[in-house]
Amino acid sequence: MKKTINVSNQGATLDTGRRNFLKLGGIGLAMAGLTLIGCDDDDFEFPGNGQVFDLGAGDVGVLNYAYALEQLEADFYTKVVNNFYSGISSVEKEIFTDLYHHEVIHRDFFKAAITGATTNVLPKLEFQYPNVNFNDRNSVLATAKALEDTGVAAYNGAGKYITNPAYLVIAGKIVSVEARHASAIRNIINPGSTDFSGDDVIDANGLDLAKEPKDIVMAAGGFIKTPFTWKERGIS
C-alpha cells in the first residue's frame, strides 16, 4: 500500500527538560515541507534464482548501507510504538514516538534519494529480534541503546568512503540526529548522568567512535534476516 510521508521539522520535537535535543530543526536535508511519496512495499524485489543483493560500489554502496541501517531502526521503533512495553511513562512514550518518526523520515529519505540516483536500490529487508522482549522496558531500552550507538559509529566510519560532498553533508546531518537519539536513550536509562559521552562510545580524544562497515554488519547481523553483500567492503 502506498503511503505519503510528510517530512517536516515541525511537530516532531520533544522537550524532555534537557533542552529539545530531539529537535529536527538542525537536520536540514532540504526536508522542511518536503513530501515523499513512498513506493509500494513490494516495489523492489531481491534477485531471483537464489542471488543475493549487493549494495554496490562507491557512493551507491554507502547510501544502500545507510538505508539498510535506517530500515532496521525504523522497523524496531515501529514495533516499539505499536505495542508499548508495560508501565511505560508518558515521557518515554513521547520519546519513542519521536524516535520512530525520525527513523521513518531517514529511511524514506534514503529510499527516495537512492531511487533518484540509481536502479541498484536495496529492497525492503526483513528483520528478527530473537532476544528482545518488546513488553520489557529493560530489554527495549538496551536494544535501542545498542542500535543508536551502532548507528552513530556506522555513519562515522563510512563517511570517509563518500566522494560526493552533498552526500557527505547529508550523512553528517543525519548522524548528528542519531547522536541525539543515543543521548536520549542513555538519559532514560540513567537520568541526569553523563552516560551520553560514556567511555564505551567516546574515544581518547573525546570523539564518537567510528567503526568499519564490516564490523557494523557483524554487530547488527543478528537482527537482519534478509542476506545481502557489500563486496567492495569485504562483506559477503
Side-chain angles (χ1 to χ4, degrees), residues 12 21-24 27 70 73-74 77 95-106 141 144-149 151-152 155 173-189 196:
F21 52 66
L22 292 185
K23 268 188 180 175
L24 275 177
I27 190 173
E70 295 298 350
E73 291 185 310
Y77 287 117
I95 289 177
F96 278 116
T97 300
D98 227 24
L99 267 57
Y100 157 75
H101 286 300
H102 288 194
E103 300 300 357
V104 168
I105 288 171
H106 292 174
L141 287 173
K145 176 173 173 283
L147 288 177
E148 296 296 350
D149 290 347
V152 173
Y155 276 100
K173 291 179 177 180
I174 290 182
V175 73
S176 72
V177 176
E178 298 292 349
R180 293 186 182 104
H181 292 179
S183 176
I185 293 298
R186 284 167 174 261
N187 189 62
I188 295 176
I189 295 173
F196 68 91

Side-chain angles (χ1 to χ4, degrees), residues 80-95:
V80 172
V81 300
N82 281 341
N83 184 28
F84 285 117
Y85 51 76
S86 178
I88 188 172
S89 69
S90 60
V91 170
E92 291 173 8
K93 186 179 292 188
E94 288 184 90
I95 289 177

Side-chain angles (χ1 to χ4, degrees), residues 210-222:
K211 295 184 178 180
E212 289 293 313
K214 191 171 185 179
D215 296 327
I216 293 294
V217 172
M218 183 178 298

Side-chain angles (χ1 to χ4, degrees), residues 110-186:
F110 272 111
K111 183 174 182 178
I114 302 169
T115 301
T118 179
T119 58
N120 191 56
V121 184
L122 179 72
K124 181 179 179 181
L125 301 176
E126 185 178 355
F127 303 100
Q128 59 190 3
Y129 306 91
N131 299 314
V132 181
N133 180 356
F134 283 93
N135 196 45
D136 179 77
R137 180 178 185 270
N138 292 334
S139 182
V140 170
L141 287 173
T143 305
K145 176 173 173 283
L147 288 177
E148 296 296 350
D149 290 347
T150 298
V152 173
Y155 276 100
N156 289 340
K160 63 187 177 184
Y161 299 121
I162 299 175
T163 60
N164 186 320
Y167 294 156
L168 187 59
V169 169
I170 290 171
K173 291 179 177 180
I174 290 182
V175 73
S176 72
V177 176
E178 298 292 349
R180 293 186 182 104
H181 292 179
S183 176
I185 293 298
R186 284 167 174 261

